[in-house]
Amino acid sequence: MSALTEIVQVLEADKILFAIGRKPNTSDLGLEHTTVEQDEKGAILVNEKLETSAKNIWALGDVHGGPQFTYASLDDFRIVKDQLFGSQTKNLNNRSQMPQSLFIQPALSTIGKTEAQLKAEGISPRVFKLASTSIPKSAILGQAKGFFKAMVSAETDQILGAVIYAEESYEVINLLALAMQAQLPYTVLRDQIFTHPTMSEALNDLFAAENEVTL
């Protein structure tokens, strides 16, 4: 048996499914009998308060074409609840930082803007990067593939965006999202005492001076 045969896993199947995207499931809602407006993809048009073009009708979740995540739908509920029973200040324009995770192996998680997006806006961020091979928990999990990357404002030290391609990134990204929402400087995470061995403790090393990338 060759070395290549030893590491390749063969999977036999009758069909292969490629998922190339989703669209709002609004075709059976009977919207043609209302004044609720939709875009060319069938998404319900809403304003920043999630109000539709029809009075007293709001659209929450996937149907309005926003981020198609369960937690986005939960925050949509918070917006409508605040509009109906609260201070009427919460809306799409001031919602919290929303992280995203793609559950591949290892997981890919992001928050905020990428380095390319920031540069396109004329912003030159400080960039910190850490390979997963230097994280003890990665070795324990047997997954050394991946990296941590974060973009930081050179003026305010606040985190502008991050990409984590590593085991348990879907947990660690929430810490970065919280720091961004609270407008904390990156040094708070750099100096935080984390439990060991965890993936979150990698934030200590990520933001260390030796891991800043020279642009």
Side-chain angles (χ1 to χ4, degrees), residues 4-202:
L4 179 62
T5 305
E6 291 177 359
I7 63 174
V8 173
Q9 180 180 2
V10 178
L11 177 65
E12 296 183 0
D14 296 324
K15 297 180 180 179
I16 299 177
L17 172 65
F18 287 92
I20 56 175
R22 296 180 294 175
K23 64 179 182 179
N25 186 16
T26 57
S27 58
D28 296 329
L29 296 181
L31 297 179
E32 66 275 10
H33 304 299
T34 73
T35 59
V36 173
E37 297 179 356
Q38 300 172 259
D39 65 14
E40 65 279 0
K41 295 182 179 180
I44 297 174
L45 298 177
V46 296
N47 61 17
E48 73 280 2
K49 301 176 183 179
L50 295 176
E51 295 172 320
T52 70
S53 53
K55 186 177 181 179
N56 295 328
I57 296 181
W58 287 260
L60 291 72
D62 298 357
V63 294
H64 68 73
Q68 295 182 323
F69 306 122
T70 301
Y71 48 91
S73 299
L74 171 60
D75 196 60
D76 283 355
F77 164 75
R78 293 175 180 143
I79 291 174
V80 174
K81 180 181 178 182
D82 180 69
Q83 292 299 323
L84 294 175
F85 307 111
S87 62
Q88 299 183 336
T89 57
K90 186 171 178 57
N91 57 64
L92 292 177
N93 295 332
N94 60 22
R95 79 184 330 168
S96 302
Q97 291 284 345
M98 187 177 297
Q100 300 185 31
S101 290
L102 182 62
F103 291 85
I104 54 179
Q105 190 66 33
L108 173 64
S109 300
T110 61
I111 182 70
K113 296 182 179 180
T114 66
E115 181 182 355
Q117 289 173 328
L118 291 169
K119 288 183 176 180
E121 296 177 6
I123 301 172
S124 297
R126 299 175 63 185
V127 179
F128 294 84
K129 194 170 182 179
L130 177 71
S132 293
T133 51
S134 63
I135 304 173
K137 185 60 180 292
S138 288
I140 293 174
L141 295 173
Q143 178 56 277
K145 183 188 299 183
F147 63 89
F148 281 50
K149 181 178 180 180
M151 281 62 66
V152 172
S153 169
E155 288 75 30
T156 66
D157 283 347
Q158 292 181 13
I159 301 168
L160 303 176
V163 179
I164 305 178
Y165 175 52
E167 286 289 348
E168 300 181 8
S169 67
Y170 40 82
E171 297 287 357
V172 181
I173 202 67
N174 291 316
L175 292 174
L176 290 163
L178 182 60
M180 292 173 66
Q181 183 63 28
Q183 298 182 333
L184 299 175
Y186 78 95
T187 51
V188 171
L189 294 178
R190 182 197 65 188
D191 301 335
Q192 175 65 30
I193 299 175
F194 295 99
T195 54
H196 171 83
T198 60
M199 292 301 291
S200 59
E201 69 177 331

